[in-house]
Amino acid sequence: MRRVTLFVNGTSTNGKVVAVYGSLEDLMSVASSKLGIRASSVYNGNGGLIDDITLIRDDDVLYISEGDSFEDPQEDFNGPEKGQTHTDWLTLNVGGRCFTTTRSTVVSKEPESMLAHMFREKDVWGNKQDSQGAYLIDRSPDYFEPILNYLRHGQLIINEGINPLGVLEEARFFGIEQLAEQLETLIKSSQPPDDHSPLTRKEFIRFLLTTTTKSELRCQAANLQGVKMLCTNAEGASLRGCNFEDPAGIKANLEGANLKGVDMEGSQMTGINLRVATLKNAKLKNCNLRGATLAGTDLENCDLSGCDLQEANLRGSNVKGAIFEEMLTPLHMSQSVR
């Protein structure tokens, strides 16, 4: 979609901003309706007759006639204000880089923004200009470019290498609220989870489903109360300090899960069901496994030092090479493992 400003031939006031769709005849129909004339010819700002819709560019200023020849609208002006209207072209010098646009572009999309107020009424803000007449704005040009493009066509497009946080700060500075909201959503959705922030049970399960390489899964201090992940594949994941204990008494269920090489050091797992799960080479140091079901679990070479296994069921589990230092006495072990 392209957007243009239409004037009656020979004038530069009471213009109408319209969208360009379809053919040249469609544009004439819209012009007739908006300007109250019988449009039959369209000219560009230099007086060139336009006979092909593809020649019209976004933000063009066009003059519509009823068949008469082009009349220069600037001939109606005298003095230093000649040719300066609310829809003429502007050049903005942003941080040393120049951008050319129209006044309607910076005013129409976000009419309540600071940028719109700066250029809605001429010289109300006392905008400073450089030697070439470009308006000086002391902001970052890299972050301003996506903002200007948003005002042109309404789409948020950020080139590779441009930090969205910088664009967000510029959007806030210029008071472009709708764009700021889009940027906040974009930034939030693109941020990876903080390894040190507690995760919810739903977030953890979503990560398991979407992470193809489980060794990349890092969910330290995750809140996994009463989670149900039967036969889940979390091989090589880091789940240090996670809480599987539900105050309501719902037991976490990881029966048959592949937890080979998983790091669950310091996790709270009272009553957890790890029946026939694979924990080969896993790190369960200092875990609370009181009342846990570990029947038939593969604990080969598993580090269980410092664990609380009181009332845990280890019947039929494979504890070959497992480390039980500072855990249970040989008597307790002989009672638990069958």
Side-chain angles (χ1 to χ4, degrees), residues 49-118:
L49 179 65
I50 296 176
D51 57 5
D52 188 342
I53 194 74
T54 61
L55 298 176
I56 297 176
R57 300 170 301 176
D58 193 29
D59 286 325
D60 269 353
V61 177
L62 306 175
Y63 299 90
I64 309 298
S65 80
E66 295 182 303
D68 47 325
S69 300
F70 175 74
E71 298 178 18
D72 190 344
Q74 295 189 6
E75 293 178 356
D76 293 336
F77 288 80
N78 296 307
E81 301 300 316
K82 180 178 180 180
Q84 299 296 320
T85 73
H86 285 198
T87 53
D88 41 85
W89 290 87
L90 300 170
T91 298
L92 310 178
N93 184 337
V94 182
R97 181 176 165 191
C98 290
F99 298 87
T100 300
T101 185
T102 63
R103 196 180 300 269
S104 64
T105 293
V106 297
V107 169
S108 301
K109 179 68 176 177
E110 295 268 357
E112 298 304 317
S113 69
M114 185 181 77
L115 196 61
H117 285 293
M118 288 172 65

Side-chain angles (χ1 to χ4, degrees), residues 72-322:
D72 190 344
Q74 295 189 6
E75 293 178 356
D76 293 336
F77 288 80
N78 296 307
E81 301 300 316
K82 180 178 180 180
Q84 299 296 320
T85 73
H86 285 198
T87 53
D88 41 85
W89 290 87
L90 300 170
T91 298
L92 310 178
N93 184 337
V94 182
R97 181 176 165 191
C98 290
F99 298 87
T100 300
T101 185
T102 63
R103 196 180 300 269
S104 64
T105 293
V106 297
V107 169
S108 301
K109 179 68 176 177
E110 295 268 357
E112 298 304 317
S113 69
M114 185 181 77
L115 196 61
H117 285 293
M118 288 172 65
F119 295 101
R120 178 177 290 113
E121 300 294 337
K122 180 174 172 57
D123 293 336
V124 169
W125 281 55
N127 302 318
K128 301 297 184 182
Q129 294 174 272
D130 63 17
S131 59
Q132 303 299 317
Y135 291 97
L136 294 165
I137 300 178
D138 186 20
R139 305 299 294 182
S140 167
D142 291 336
Y143 297 145
F144 180 77
E145 184 176 14
I147 291 176
L148 181 58
N149 285 331
Y150 168 79
L151 294 174
R152 284 169 170 157
H153 47 60
Q155 300 297 317
L156 173 58
I157 301 174
I158 301 178
N159 292 333
E160 185 177 353
I162 302 298
N163 192 334
L165 285 171
V167 183
L168 174 59
E169 288 305 311
E170 296 304 292
R172 288 172 174 167
F173 175 81
F174 289 114
I176 305 175
E177 297 301 330
Q178 293 184 27
L179 177 58
E181 291 176 3
Q182 290 188 39
L183 285 161
E184 288 171 354
T185 301
L186 172 66
I187 292 169
K188 184 177 180 180
S189 64
S190 64
Q191 286 179 335
D194 187 347
D195 284 347
H196 302 289
S197 298
L199 298 178
T200 66
R201 180 173 55 190
K202 290 182 178 179
E203 288 174 331
F204 176 71
I205 294 174
R206 184 175 70 248
F207 288 142
L208 284 177
L209 293 174
T210 59
T211 306
T212 55
T213 305
K214 305 306 176 184
S215 59
E216 297 176 357
L217 183 62
R218 299 289 185 271
C219 294
Q220 283 86 347
N223 183 9
L224 304 174
Q225 296 176 353
V227 68
K228 288 181 173 58
M229 302 188 306
L230 282 74
C231 301
T232 294
N233 178 18
E235 181 176 347
S238 177
L239 304 173
R240 294 170 64 94
C242 291
N243 179 26
F244 293 84
E245 297 181 8
D246 190 335
I250 300 174
K251 308 296 186 182
N253 192 348
L254 278 73
E255 182 173 338
N258 178 11
L259 302 173
K260 186 182 296 184
V262 71
D263 184 356
M264 304 175 79
E265 181 176 341
S267 293
Q268 298 297 315
M269 298 186 285
T270 299
I272 192 170
N273 181 7
L274 290 166
R275 183 177 177 273
V276 299
T278 300
L279 285 159
K280 187 176 181 179
N281 299 317
K283 298 178 182 178
L284 272 67
K285 187 175 181 179
N286 298 321
C287 286
N288 183 358
L289 288 164
R290 181 176 297 219
T293 299
L294 296 163
T297 302
D298 185 359
L299 298 170
E300 184 176 346
N301 298 323
C302 181
D303 186 354
L304 292 160
S305 58
C307 285
D308 183 354
L309 281 166
Q310 186 173 341
E311 299 180 1
N313 180 5
L314 288 147
R315 177 177 298 191
S317 60
N318 175 18
V319 294
K320 180 181 179 180

